[in-house]
């Protein structure tokens, strides 16, 4: 018997460098209505209160922009995700930007504090910067660092003030478990746009990246075998799917930081369906649809909907 799916909508977009991702979840829902797909009527939908008013005033934290607002999101996600999991339901998180993913991970660990968590990160970006290394201060580039409880002081380029450090440490401690995931239990898919500081910590922690070229050569089924072998000692798995992992020429530029030469939508879909079939998978997050940047009307949301429908049907079987 399949699992009950709960969609958790998070429209806060305070960690990205562009505006419009807060409209992403609704763009996916609009695509469903246009298609006459009823997945949002047939399954429970929960919504987090957004904190986008933080965008209406300057941030005082240049190396961790709006970290004070992000801390509240982490706490809300920790509560909401753990509550859904504690009802034996399967959360599919539809989030605006990727910065909040560390809060989702906190919620998973709060629900399963004694279980070893594996993370599948499908993304063009490594998202493992810290306030000490970030070139932009945008916190959608930092969620994995919070889950790993790392600072990457070895690659420090920024002199971070005491208040930012305090908030950063609080962010890493949400859920009262740190680290929440071990580096050997993370696998990247399609990461291809990184900075030197990220490359250094990825190398130091030996985090594996299955490149687009490897996906192409091995095929989706071959990549799934690699993922499952890598995470075989984990008790549970979380999947974070950033739509910029896909090639913008095959989808659209309707995402905050598109990068050429990505996955095909079919490759992404096949990997996600296969991993949704894995009984260890307990949560999937989908992020960074931005209809304001979509030069093909609502194409990115429509492509994403097709993938979300497929994984929903798989989970419920």
């Amino acid at each position: 018997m399949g699992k009950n799916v709960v969609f958790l909508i998070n429209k806060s977009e305070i960690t990205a460098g562009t505006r419009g991702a807060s409209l992403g979840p609704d763009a996916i829902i609009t695509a469903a209505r246009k298609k006459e797909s009823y997945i949002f009527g047939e399954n429970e939908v929960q919504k987090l209160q957004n904190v986008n008013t933080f965008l209406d005033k300057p941030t005082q934290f240049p190396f961790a922009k709006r970290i004070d607002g992000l801390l509240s999101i982490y706490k809300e996600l920790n509560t909401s995700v753990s509550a859904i999991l504690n009802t034996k339901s399967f959360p599919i998180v539809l989030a605006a930007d990727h910065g909040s993913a560390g809060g989702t991970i906190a919620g998973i660990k709060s629900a399963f504090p004694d279980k070893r968590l594996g993370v599948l990160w499908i993304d063009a970006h490594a998202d493992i910067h810290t306030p000490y290394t970030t070139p932009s201060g945008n916190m959608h580039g930092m969620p994995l660092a919070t889950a790993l409880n790392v600072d990457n002081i070895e690659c420090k380029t920024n002199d971070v003030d005491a208040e930012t450090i305090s908030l950063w440490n609080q962010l890493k401690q949400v859920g009262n478990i740190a680290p929440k995931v071990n580096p050997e239990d993370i696998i990247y898919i399609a990461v291809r746009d990184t900075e030197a500081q990220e490359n250094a910590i990825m190398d130091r922690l030996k985090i594996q990246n299955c490149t687009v070229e490897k996906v192409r050569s091995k095929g989706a089924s071959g990549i799934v075998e690699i993922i499952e072998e890598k995470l075989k000692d984990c008790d549970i798995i979380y999947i974070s799917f950033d739509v910029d992992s896909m090639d913008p020429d095959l989808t659209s530029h309707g995402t905050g930081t598109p990068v050429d030469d990505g996955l095909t939508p079919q490759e992404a879909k096949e990997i996600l369906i296969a991993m949704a079939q894995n009984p260890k998978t307990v949560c999937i997050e989908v992020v960074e649809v931005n209809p304001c940047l979509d030069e093909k009307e609502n194409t990115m949301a429509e492509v994403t909907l097709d993938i979300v429908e497929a994984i929903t049907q798989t989970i419920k079987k």
Side-chain angles (χ1 to χ4, degrees), residues 61-132:
F61 308 106
F63 301 121
K65 294 176 181 175
R66 304 172 190 90
I67 189 173
D68 43 351
L70 184 58
L71 181 57
S72 69
I73 296 170
Y74 265 47
K75 290 176 179 178
E76 287 290 323
L77 277 164
N78 179 51
T79 299
S80 297
V81 171
S82 60
I84 293 169
L85 289 168
N86 285 332
T87 67
K88 311 299 183 186
S89 294
F90 190 107
I92 297 179
V93 183
L94 301 182
D97 59 47
H98 218 163
S100 58
T104 303
I105 292 172
I108 295 169
K109 283 298 291 183
S110 289
F112 304 113
D114 299 322
K115 292 189 181 295
R116 182 171 170 180
L117 174 61
V119 172
L120 173 60
W121 201 267
I122 308 174
D123 197 335
H125 307 92
D127 292 349
I128 200 169
H129 269 298
T130 77
Y132 300 97

Side-chain angles (χ1 to χ4, degrees), residues 17-219:
T18 57
R19 302 280 68 83
S22 61
L23 304 174
D26 279 339
I28 298 169
I29 293 170
T30 297
R33 290 168 178 165
K34 177 183 176 182
K35 188 180 179 181
E36 297 186 0
S37 166
Y38 302 113
I39 60 169
F40 297 107
E42 295 168 348
N43 300 283
E44 182 181 353
V45 177
Q46 297 182 15
K47 297 182 180 181
L48 292 185
Q49 183 70 35
N50 77 68
V51 296
N52 290 328
T53 53
F54 276 83
L55 295 167
D56 300 328
K57 54 189 176 182
T59 178
Q60 64 190 80
F61 308 106
F63 301 121
K65 294 176 181 175
R66 304 172 190 90
I67 189 173
D68 43 351
L70 184 58
L71 181 57
S72 69
I73 296 170
Y74 265 47
K75 290 176 179 178
E76 287 290 323
L77 277 164
N78 179 51
T79 299
S80 297
V81 171
S82 60
I84 293 169
L85 289 168
N86 285 332
T87 67
K88 311 299 183 186
S89 294
F90 190 107
I92 297 179
V93 183
L94 301 182
D97 59 47
H98 218 163
S100 58
T104 303
I105 292 172
I108 295 169
K109 283 298 291 183
S110 289
F112 304 113
D114 299 322
K115 292 189 181 295
R116 182 171 170 180
L117 174 61
V119 172
L120 173 60
W121 201 267
I122 308 174
D123 197 335
H125 307 92
D127 292 349
I128 200 169
H129 269 298
T130 77
Y132 300 97
T133 67
T134 176
S136 68
N138 296 325
M139 296 204 70
H140 68 166
M142 306 186 199
L144 264 182
T146 69
L148 285 162
N149 192 31
V150 295
D151 295 329
N152 198 12
I153 296 294
E154 296 88 341
C155 298
K156 178 181 175 181
T157 57
N158 303 323
D159 292 322
V160 184
D161 65 277
E163 188 174 1
T164 299
I165 292 170
S166 174
L167 288 165
W168 174 248
N169 288 332
Q170 290 177 60
L171 205 61
K172 294 185 293 180
Q173 293 292 331
V174 170
N176 299 313
I177 299 173
K180 298 171 178 66
V181 62
N182 299 316
E184 62 268 27
D185 297 330
I186 296 172
I187 184 166
Y188 286 126
I189 305 291
V191 168
R192 58 196 184 278
D193 184 16
T194 55
E195 282 80 37
Q197 302 97 320
E198 292 182 298
N199 293 334
I201 193 170
M202 288 163 63
D203 289 343
R204 189 165 67 249
L205 298 180
K206 297 181 171 59
I207 300 177
Q208 183 176 350
N209 177 30
C210 289
T211 64
V212 174
E213 292 75 18
K214 192 165 189 175
V215 173
R216 205 90 356 115
S217 65
K218 295 283 187 181

Side-chain angles (χ1 to χ4, degrees), residues 140-312:
H140 68 166
M142 306 186 199
L144 264 182
T146 69
L148 285 162
N149 192 31
V150 295
D151 295 329
N152 198 12
I153 296 294
E154 296 88 341
C155 298
K156 178 181 175 181
T157 57
N158 303 323
D159 292 322
V160 184
D161 65 277
E163 188 174 1
T164 299
I165 292 170
S166 174
L167 288 165
W168 174 248
N169 288 332
Q170 290 177 60
L171 205 61
K172 294 185 293 180
Q173 293 292 331
V174 170
N176 299 313
I177 299 173
K180 298 171 178 66
V181 62
N182 299 316
E184 62 268 27
D185 297 330
I186 296 172
I187 184 166
Y188 286 126
I189 305 291
V191 168
R192 58 196 184 278
D193 184 16
T194 55
E195 282 80 37
Q197 302 97 320
E198 292 182 298
N199 293 334
I201 193 170
M202 288 163 63
D203 289 343
R204 189 165 67 249
L205 298 180
K206 297 181 171 59
I207 300 177
Q208 183 176 350
N209 177 30
C210 289
T211 64
V212 174
E213 292 75 18
K214 192 165 189 175
V215 173
R216 205 90 356 115
S217 65
K218 295 283 187 181
S221 60
I223 290 299
V224 170
E225 289 179 7
I226 291 171
I227 296 166
E228 292 182 337
E229 173 62 23
K230 175 70 173 174
L231 304 181
K232 70 178 187 297
D233 293 329
C234 296
D235 303 306
I236 54 175
I237 295 171
Y238 158 71
I239 302 172
S240 209
F241 173 57
D242 189 323
V243 300
D244 71 21
S245 61
M246 298 184 289
D247 194 308
D249 289 338
L250 302 176
T251 53
S252 77
H253 289 76
T255 185
T257 46
V259 182
D260 291 340
D261 301 320
L263 300 173
T264 69
Q266 187 61 30
E267 287 167 339
K269 184 177 176 180
E270 288 179 14
I271 292 168
L272 284 161
I273 288 173
M275 291 307 300
Q277 291 172 338
N278 189 315
K280 292 183 179 181
T281 301
V282 298
C283 177
I284 297 176
E285 186 154 10
V286 179
V287 305
E288 297 279 3
V289 172
N290 188 331
C292 291
L293 303 175
D294 200 322
E295 80 281 19
K296 302 177 185 175
E297 295 185 352
N298 203 30
T299 294
M300 183 64 85
E302 292 171 352
V303 170
T304 304
L305 170 67
D306 180 63
I307 293 171
V308 170
E309 283 183 307
I311 60 178
T312 302

